[in-house]
Amino acid sequence: MNRREALKVAGTIALMTAVSAEAKMTEEHMNRMEMKPKDPANMEKGELKHTPQITIKEKDSKGYTLVEITTGQGGIIHPSTPDHWIDFISLHADGKLIGKNTLEPEVSRGATSFYVKLDKVKVLKATSGCNLHGIWSSTLTV
Ligand SMILES: [Fe+2]
């Protein structure tokens, strides 16, 4: 093996090590515990920051209604940094999963939307996952 080939192999090994370390770090930093506010009628700042807010918007010409979900209530926006971010948001309609988005740190923050046929739906439930502070939910009666 000449010097150039040796450098190429060393570079590949370094890249593989970096990728696997990043994947391991990501797995280790994912808190998947289900969280609930102590007093839902009187949430603390940290609870407001993680609780998804569901907003019903306009219906389109095909009968789908825009449902927006933002992680954070009361004007509080959850951070999106490499070490702390909302990694997914999902939406259930009457207990059935109808949409789930994964989110990347820094370039996106905890918000998403879905177009949903709401005609027969009674309850929407949004769920947000914070890599550090667990999984938070809120419901909205339609
Ligand atoms: Fe958080």
Side-chain angles (χ1 to χ4, degrees):
M1 181 183 301
N2 64 31
R3 185 173 187 272
R4 185 181 182 143
E5 288 169 338
L7 286 171
K8 196 172 178 181
V9 168
T12 302
I13 290 169
L15 181 62
M16 290 170 65
T17 304
V19 168
S20 67
E22 185 178 314
K24 187 169 182 270
M25 192 176 97
T26 299
E27 283 177 23
E28 288 175 357
H29 285 91
M30 302 309 270
N31 179 349
R32 300 294 78 159
M33 189 182 302
E34 285 197 31
M35 307 297 288
K36 288 186 177 165
K38 291 176 196 132
D39 178 6
N42 210 357
M43 287 195 271
E44 297 171 1
K45 188 175 178 186
E47 296 168 333
L48 287 168
K49 186 176 9 178
H50 289 92
T51 303
Q53 181 169 311
I54 304 168
T55 306
I56 305 289
K57 303 289 227 173
E58 69 278 354
K59 187 186 276 191
D60 70 14
S61 61
K62 300 288 184 187
Y64 293 88
T65 301
L66 181 60
V67 177
E68 286 186 354
I69 304 160
T70 301
T71 304
Q73 297 191 355
I76 300 172
I77 296 173
H78 189 280
S80 186
T81 65
D83 299 327
H84 183 200
W85 78 102
I86 299 299
D87 65 280
F88 80 90
I89 295 175
S90 62
L91 182 66
H92 288 76
D94 293 333
K96 181 182 179 191
L97 178 65
I98 59 168
K100 182 174 182 179
N101 281 335
T102 56
L103 303 164
E104 287 294 313
E106 288 189 284
V107 295
S108 63
R109 71 172 180 87
T112 192
S113 61
F114 301 97
Y115 274 95
V116 183
K117 287 234 175 178
L118 288 178
D119 303 336
K120 297 176 183 172
V121 173
K122 292 182 177 77
V123 178
L124 290 173
K125 177 183 176 186
T127 303
S128 296
C130 168
N131 69 312
L132 290 182
H133 303 110
I135 297 172
W136 300 72
S137 297
S138 65
T139 58
L140 178 72
T141 301
V142 179

